[in-house]
Amino acid sequence: MAKKEKEKKNEASELKEQLFMKRRNTGLAMSDSEIAKADKFCEGYKNFLDTGKTEREACAEAIRLAEKAGFVPFDKTSQYKAGDRVYVCNRGKAVILAVIGKVPAANGVNLVAAHIDSPRIDLKQNPLYENEGIAYFKTHYYGGI
């Protein structure tokens, strides 16, 4: 192989190293206190998932947590100042939380969005059937399970 070809191959390998992320087991690099902190965070998230099994339950729980954090229902007749926390619930199926900023919205906003995903299995009208001696349920599934 010519010297130029080797140099190109080495350069390509170096670029590949920089561009491609290598999988690491970060759990091995975390201290016991970091792992405990992550576990504590996960418990709160698991509790939220347990409470919000449907989109309506998830909205109700999100509102409960928002109110606990100082959010109040949005009132279009009210005047708000920087730092005020408001929320809007859309038909019990979606929640919008907002922290009023210091700069007019015409200058731009910071936006973070997420959707409610309620993994569940619903049984069909006549769900039970048997095949080769095994009982099965006909289901609809939601939430990407």
Side-chain angles (χ1 to χ4, degrees), residues 19-88:
L19 291 173
F20 289 95
M21 187 172 171
K22 291 183 178 158
R23 277 188 90 167
R24 296 179 213 129
N25 186 349
T26 55
L28 296 176
M30 293 172 68
S31 69
D32 288 343
S33 64
E34 289 174 313
I35 292 171
K37 188 176 176 183
D39 286 345
K40 184 178 178 184
F41 173 79
C42 291
E43 287 303 317
Y45 183 57
K46 289 186 326 188
N47 289 337
F48 179 83
L49 291 175
D50 286 343
T51 304
K53 290 183 181 77
T54 67
E55 61 191 358
R56 292 181 192 277
E57 290 173 340
C59 281
E61 180 66 2
I63 289 169
R64 187 188 72 75
L65 292 169
E67 288 177 343
K68 186 176 173 184
F71 284 80
V72 296
F74 175 75
D75 178 3
K76 62 182 173 184
T77 63
S78 293
Q79 293 287 320
Y80 295 103
K81 62 184 182 318
D84 286 347
R85 296 168 170 222
V86 296
Y87 71 86
V88 175

